[in-house]
Structures are given as C-alpha cells and as structure tokens.
Amino acid sequence: MIQAYAAFEAGGELRPFEYDPGPLGTGEVEIEVEHCGICHSDVSMLDNAWGISSYPLVPGHEVVGRIGAVGPGVTGLESGQLVGLGWQAGYCMHCDPCMSGDHNLCAQAQGTIVGHHGGFADKVRAAAASVVPLPEGIDSASAGPLFCGGITVFNPLVQYDVPPTARVGVIGIGGLGHLALGFLNAWGCEVTAFTASESKREEALRLGAHHTLDSRDAKTLESAANRFDLILSTVNVKLDWNAYVGTLKPKGRLHFVGATLEPIDLAVFPLIAGQRSVSGSPVGSPATIQRMLEFAVRHGIAPVTEHFPLERVNDAIAHLRSGQARYRVVLDR
C-alpha cells in the first residue's frame, strides 16, 4: 500500500489517502520518496484550473528519492539508486517524437499527476524511461524543483541553440525565473530581469542578472527597443506583449514557459518586419533533464528552497498560494 496525501475535490484540503497500486508492471519502477517540490502546476491541478483534474488527486511531480523496487524488463536502474521524476511518468515509446528523442512532446505521455498519483506520498510509480538518475555532487534536498521548474527554463536554451553571446530578458523572478537567471548567466548570456517588485531587484542581481528593468514602466520598455535576442516569459498573467516584442532585435524570440491562460494579443507587423518569433515549450526530455542536472552541478546552480515536512503539506501549499515563497517549496519525508 502507498500512503499519500490527496485532495478529494477541487480546491480541497489534502488529507491522508491510502491506495494499492497493484503489481509493479513491466518497465516500471517504484521510487521511495525523500523530497518532493511543490509547483504552481500542483496548485492548478488541485483547483482544476485546467479542467483535466480527477479526484482523489495526489499532487507532486518534482520527486527525488531512491529506487525501492524494479519491475520486469527494467535496465539501467537498480534498487537504492538516487533518482528524480518530473512532470511526465511515462511515454508511448513508439511515436515520432519518442523515436526522435523528444519524449516530452509525446502526445500519449503519462502525466505524473494527470490521471496518475504523484509524489506527495511515501512512494510513487513511474515508467523507467521517465526516471533520471541524479549525478554525484548534487544536493538531493533541493534538486526536486529542477525536474519541473529547472528543466522548463533550461529546455529552450537547448531547443533553440541559444548562443552564449545572446542578450536575454526574463519576465518574472519567481519559481521559474530565479532558475532562469542562474542558467542563463552560467550559459554565458547577458541577462536582464524584468520585474515589478522593488524587493526583487537586488535579489535578481545576486541570482545571476546583469541588469534589471521595471516591467511596469512603459517608457522603460520603450528605451529597451531592439535590445534582446530572446525573452523568456515565466509568468501566468496577461501583460502588454506588444511592448515586449518591441524590445526584441530582428529575428528575436518571445518565448513562453509560464502558462498564461488569457489569449495573447499581438500585432503582426512588428513580427513580420523584424522576422521575430513567438513560441512556447514544455518540460524537456529525459536526456535534456540529465544534461541540465550535469550543467547545474558543474556551475553550482540550485533552486532557492523553503522546506516543510510532508505532514504539513497544507501549510506548505498555503505558503505557496500566498506568493511569499522564496522561491520553491519542498516537502521532506
């Protein structure tokens, strides 16, 4: 039996929940959870904000733990090995994206917390292909958020071959944005943080930004015209996207990794005239996650975390909802 915490209705408090996962399937592993990050996506699923939640719902998709059991046919993973699990807990393994190494784009990918019980528990099951060993030298207590927040901002650097000479802006210095600053700085880019929070300006510079710009000031945005090769938006709110497009160089890219729910209102002529692009991306493939972890160890990049014991999961979620978290919340068993 697996001991977990689950919500039984949209927005409901998490309560103890026990379930029998059945026999360990072919190609599956069972992870004994040691740490699990809490992501805004967990909150969105708890609230059924995306209309895809089912209850009882066990959140948790930033899992770090040790392999407790290995199913038939599993190779490359063994009991006792320290591993991580992110947003996806399995793939079809036969579609074009899977066969091309883009497992994260598999249309049949099994979400870790979508129709599947996640890591707010003592154990979690997943397909071995989605489980990534942790490299030596990484801090396992803070590594969980790398499996969602970290890979979400690292993946575009790989997908778009961002050069180290690029000038990159980051919108929103929170759970995603603070990691983006560290990765981009270590990548070699000139990094600018867009933030409306006065308290985060100095913090953004400590986290890796070379410059900051006031995202609330239209004149400041105008003064940054034609400056950036890439802008990463990590926020989930509507902004004046045309103003940000105006800060892009010709062939620049406005890239979304934050789940903005409102439609994006953009004028077409600035895109055409400057051959600018607008794009988005999800988490990365297991191979890209492995690459990110190795990069993080090499450059000493780790999420800034606050920790709660698993039994205080409702307090931890309330803290995240309050907007006061700096910057990722992690549950410890």
Side-chain angles (χ1 to χ4, degrees):
M1 301 296 286
I2 291 181
Q3 309 297 324
Y5 283 87
F8 294 83
E9 60 185 2
E13 185 174 85
L14 276 74
R15 305 198 302 271
F17 172 61
E18 181 181 86
Y19 70 95
D20 182 357
L24 193 59
T26 299
E28 286 189 327
V29 297
E30 186 170 84
I31 302 170
E32 297 176 351
V33 179
E34 296 181 0
H35 311 280
C36 188
I38 306 179
C39 175
H40 277 286
S41 297
D42 290 308
V43 175
S44 295
M45 287 294 294
L46 284 171
D47 295 344
N48 198 21
W50 301 331
I52 58 174
S53 302
S54 57
Y55 301 89
L57 188 149
V58 179
H61 61 277
E62 296 181 341
V63 178
V64 168
R66 295 188 181 275
I67 301 289
V70 175
V74 173
T75 59
L77 294 173
E78 57 186 26
S79 293
Q81 192 171 8
L82 188 63
V83 298
L85 173 68
W87 178 253
Q88 295 167 330
Y91 313 100
C92 80
M93 302 302 289
H94 59 74
C95 67
D96 284 346
C98 282
M99 297 301 288
S100 301
D102 293 320
H103 301 75
N104 54 311
L105 304 182
C106 174
Q108 303 301 316
Q110 171 63 66
T112 301
I113 62 171
V114 183
H116 182 277
H117 292 318
F120 289 8
D122 61 347
K123 304 182 190 72
V124 63
R125 297 263 180 101
S130 65
V131 175
V132 180
L134 267 65
E136 288 188 17
I138 200 165
D139 175 28
S140 62
S142 65
L146 292 174
F147 282 84
C148 183
I151 188 57
T152 296
V153 296
F154 184 87
N155 192 43
L157 304 184
V158 175
Q159 299 304 317
Y160 299 110
D161 295 318
V162 176
T165 54
R167 290 181 172 179
V168 184
V170 178
I171 304 173
I173 311 307
L176 292 174
H178 90 285
L179 285 166
L181 298 180
F183 280 129
L184 288 163
N185 183 296
W187 202 261
C189 300
E190 181 180 303
V191 188
T192 297
F194 291 97
T195 179
S197 171
E198 191 65 37
S199 65
K200 289 186 178 180
R201 294 186 188 282
E202 290 299 321
E203 208 163 356
L205 296 172
R206 290 196 299 272
L207 289 166
H210 300 100
H211 318 284
T212 64
L213 288 176
D214 187 345
S215 58
R216 298 169 300 184
D217 188 338
K219 289 185 178 180
T220 296
L221 294 181
E222 289 176 9
S223 71
N226 297 300
R227 180 182 299 185
F228 298 106
D229 299 287
L230 171 69
I231 293 177
L232 285 180
S233 174
T234 71
V235 299
N236 61 358
V237 296
K238 186 175 183 178
L239 299 175
D240 183 355
W241 303 117
N242 288 296
Y244 286 98
V245 168
T247 70
L248 294 173
K249 292 180 180 179
K251 295 190 178 182
R253 179 182 299 274
L254 172 60
H255 189 77
F256 290 89
V257 293
T260 302
L261 297 180
E262 296 188 52
I264 299 168
D265 183 13
L266 285 173
V268 170
F269 279 114
L271 300 178
I272 294 173
Q275 201 174 316
R276 299 178 176 96
S277 302
V278 178
S279 54
S281 64
V283 294
S285 68
T288 307
I289 293 172
Q290 188 71 65
R291 183 175 177 181
M292 172 205 63
L293 294 174
E294 292 168 357
F295 186 85
V297 170
R298 182 177 300 176
H299 294 281
I301 299 168
V304 177
T305 56
E306 297 180 273
H307 293 255
F308 289 76
L310 179 59
E311 58 268 23
R312 289 186 57 203
V313 59
N314 289 299
D315 293 336
I317 290 172
H319 182 59
L320 181 61
R321 287 186 188 274
S322 74
Q324 300 303 307
R326 291 290 188 274
Y327 280 97
R328 305 292 292 197
V329 177
V330 177
L331 298 172
D332 302 318
R333 285 194 62 249

